[in-house]
Amino acid sequence: MRKLFPVVSRKLSHVCSLKPYKETKWLMPNGNPIGAYIYNCVANEKVPIILNDPHIATWYSCGPTVYDSAHIGHASCYVKLDIIQRILKSFLNVKLVTAMGITDIDDKIIKKSIETKTPFQNVAKQYEHEFWLDMSSLNIEKPMIITRVSDHITTIESFVKKLIDNEKAYVTLDGSVYFDTTKYPSYGKLQKAQSEGEAANEEKRNKMDFALWKAHKPGEPTWEMSWGQGRPGWHVECSAMISKVFGSQLDFHAGGIDLQFPHHENEEAQSCAFHNIRQWANYWVHVGHLHVKGDTKMSKSLKNTISIPELLKQHSSDVFRMACLTSNYRNPMEYSPAVMKTAEEFLNKFKFFLKDAFIYVNNNATSSGDYKDKILNDLQKTEEANLEALRNDFNTAICINNLLTLIGNANKVMKSETNDYYPVPIVLIADYVTSMLTTFGLKLQDSEQDSILSNSLIDTLVEFRHTVRLNALSRKDKEVLQACDIVRDKMKSMKVQINDSKKISSWVSIK
Ligand SMILES: [Zn+2]
């Protein structure tokens, strides 16, 4: 029987047999290709996804440093990672074991704790709680394993100690511990080292060396270690916690593009040194930044952030997710009224189609029994094209585009003026569209305030207006048609959008 959370341990001989991929620094894992490709920054191109176990993959996302509220930048990062995880699980049949690390000991948390005279643990707990509420309001699936730095001090202690014992790290006079980057020749494989490191000084031997452990400073939380007092450095936390949970290697390691260097570079360096392996994370997944139109960067210090509750006052979580689906996860994403409006229009097109399809197939026309080959071919081609797009670095934007074309063609059939009636292909298309969109994590529900009663009242009104309108159209009665338009506009101001065609009028609720 399989263990629920398998610890993936790879023997050294196995790891040593990894071969360089083309001329790149990325080493191709041995094992089972799943028929999909993903961009990897180490290879600087798309590489095949190969899992050691045919169906199981391990995934770690760097979580937030919980010192403040999350903003829409976090929202886009975690929504896009959630979409990729759903694709791996549902479309590529991977049993994904997901973990996330929460940084609950950090400079910024300590600073906030001093400013607000609140114990640092309480600061962290408050913002972590808020983070999970935000994630849930965005319909993001919670990781199966959550690791917190404060729960893993002994894990981090043994990780650092082994690096010191193996002379991959050194203790400075004040009791800090630095990783010695000269002992790791592949340093810079994720991203060529930039001039970010502080210059070497009396304490630090080399410019790119980074702190695994920070010596104690008065007023800060501290832990007693064999080499001295202090607290963990940021980079070591994820490596130590991942090794504890997943063993000596992991399949996917994810985070925002800002983490690629130095955070992930340092994680890879110290983990390879710790496990004595050449490649630790096989696939790095980095999400592009979200920026508010007009601002180059969103940050707390620039005070131009938008919180997640503020975002959800303006747009539903489905509209935000649709905006994420239509932007490539690796590219920068713009947050602007125009982008959100387009996302809402796309979403409404799908919702209208699903409602229209329901009305269409339940009318009392008689099917010729003809399955309308052209529409069924459309469906099959779309299914194939979508699977190909998802296998090619999770290209959801192409899928959404393909789906819009599919429903556009189906709409033409449903709303044509002939009396042809094709319920079977329309049902199949509606079913496919629903399953694709819900698998991407869209809820496709009307807002909660729409009770059953108000829905049926709106149904009645829309149906009545439709009959009156068709009558007026055939009589070319301008006055009645104008009245119908006024009703439509009034309904829109009450957040009910009506879509008219000659055969069907339907509605969706809008934000
Ligand atoms: Zn991390």
Side-chain angles (χ1 to χ4, degrees), residues 160-415:
V160 174
K161 189 163 185 320
K162 186 174 166 186
L163 289 174
I164 299 171
D165 291 347
N166 293 346
E167 298 180 353
K168 308 280 183 178
Y170 53 92
V171 185
T172 60
L173 282 174
D174 69 350
S176 294
V177 181
Y178 280 89
F179 182 79
D180 186 343
T181 47
T182 59
K183 302 277 173 67
Y184 179 69
S186 298
Y187 193 82
K189 74 179 178 188
L190 271 70
Q191 186 173 316
K192 269 210 157 83
Q194 298 165 340
S195 54
E196 285 203 15
E198 301 154 24
N201 51 36
E202 285 169 21
E203 299 281 292
K204 203 165 112 166
R205 291 181 191 165
N206 314 292
K207 192 173 175 225
M208 297 316 296
D209 292 358
F210 54 91
L212 298 172
W213 190 263
K214 295 183 169 184
H216 173 62
K217 282 186 198 153
E220 290 188 356
T222 189
W223 287 266
E224 182 79 47
M225 298 290 139
S226 56
W227 57 82
Q229 277 194 0
R231 62 187 172 87
W234 173 39
H235 309 304
V236 77
E237 298 166 353
C238 296
S239 290
M241 294 192 294
I242 294 170
S243 301
K244 179 86 174 177
V245 174
F246 290 145
S248 63
Q249 221 178 14
L250 83 158
D251 296 299
F252 298 94
H253 191 143
I257 187 68
D258 53 322
L259 298 185
Q260 183 173 318
F261 189 89
H263 184 54
H264 287 166
E265 187 75 54
N266 292 351
E267 281 195 42
E268 176 75 9
Q270 68 208 357
S271 302
C272 284
F274 178 83
H275 294 292
N276 195 23
I277 50 175
R278 290 193 295 156
Q279 182 164 284
W280 175 60
N282 283 338
Y283 301 98
W284 294 96
V285 187
H286 290 129
V287 176
H289 271 148
L290 176 123
H291 60 94
V292 177
K293 197 178 180 189
D295 292 326
T296 45
K297 193 177 183 254
M298 187 165 50
S299 76
K300 294 275 176 204
S301 55
L302 292 172
K303 294 199 163 76
N304 62 350
T305 59
I306 297 167
S307 75
I308 292 165
E310 277 165 357
L311 162 77
L312 294 176
K313 262 186 222 160
Q314 301 281 324
H315 310 282
S316 70
S317 64
D318 267 6
V319 169
F320 185 72
R321 189 172 280 255
M322 181 56 81
C324 292
L325 282 164
T326 50
S327 123
N328 183 306
Y329 78 91
R330 289 195 281 128
N331 292 345
M333 176 176 157
E334 182 183 283
Y335 179 79
S336 65
V339 167
M340 298 308 285
K341 188 164 175 269
T342 306
E344 180 160 29
E345 281 168 6
F346 285 176
L347 188 66
N348 285 345
K349 275 187 187 171
F350 288 119
K351 284 174 150 185
F352 269 123
F353 168 73
L354 294 173
K355 291 217 169 182
D356 289 352
F358 181 78
I359 296 170
Y360 174 84
V361 300
N362 286 297
N363 79 14
N364 51 15
T366 308
S367 170
S368 63
D370 175 359
Y371 285 179
K372 187 91 175 165
D373 284 348
K374 161 114 182 44
I375 332 178
L376 278 186
N377 281 343
D378 265 7
L379 174 60
Q380 200 191 335
K381 276 188 189 146
T382 307
E383 284 174 343
E384 285 164 8
N386 281 351
L387 199 55
E388 196 187 319
L390 295 177
R391 283 177 173 155
N392 184 7
D393 204 20
F394 315 105
N395 200 330
T396 52
I398 287 188
C399 288
I400 296 296
N401 214 13
N402 291 341
L403 289 176
L404 286 170
T405 309
L406 179 71
I407 64 165
N409 292 339
N411 273 330
K412 276 182 209 151
V413 171
M414 287 199 293
K415 294 176 182 179

Side-chain angles (χ1 to χ4, degrees), residues 89-190:
K89 286 188 278 189
S90 299
F91 295 105
L92 304 174
N93 300 319
V94 173
K95 289 184 201 296
L96 201 63
V97 182
T98 55
M100 184 186 277
I102 302 288
T103 301
D104 61 354
I105 301 169
D106 179 81
D107 295 350
K108 288 171 182 157
I109 299 170
I110 295 165
K111 190 167 167 250
K112 188 110 185 187
S113 137
I114 295 168
E115 278 168 12
T116 57
K117 297 190 175 65
T118 314
F120 80 94
Q121 295 93 332
N122 294 13
V123 172
K125 265 188 200 141
Q126 179 198 332
Y127 288 111
E128 187 191 328
H129 177 67
E130 199 182 294
F131 175 75
W132 294 123
L133 287 180
D134 285 342
M135 294 301 104
S136 150
S137 67
L138 292 164
N139 203 27
I140 292 169
E141 288 179 344
K142 210 168 180 176
M144 296 159 178
I145 302 169
I146 297 164
T147 58
R148 291 176 194 84
V149 176
S150 59
D151 293 332
H152 280 276
I153 295 293
T154 51
T155 310
I156 295 166
E157 178 183 17
S158 39
F159 195 95
V160 174
K161 189 163 185 320
K162 186 174 166 186
L163 289 174
I164 299 171
D165 291 347
N166 293 346
E167 298 180 353
K168 308 280 183 178
Y170 53 92
V171 185
T172 60
L173 282 174
D174 69 350
S176 294
V177 181
Y178 280 89
F179 182 79
D180 186 343
T181 47
T182 59
K183 302 277 173 67
Y184 179 69
S186 298
Y187 193 82
K189 74 179 178 188
L190 271 70

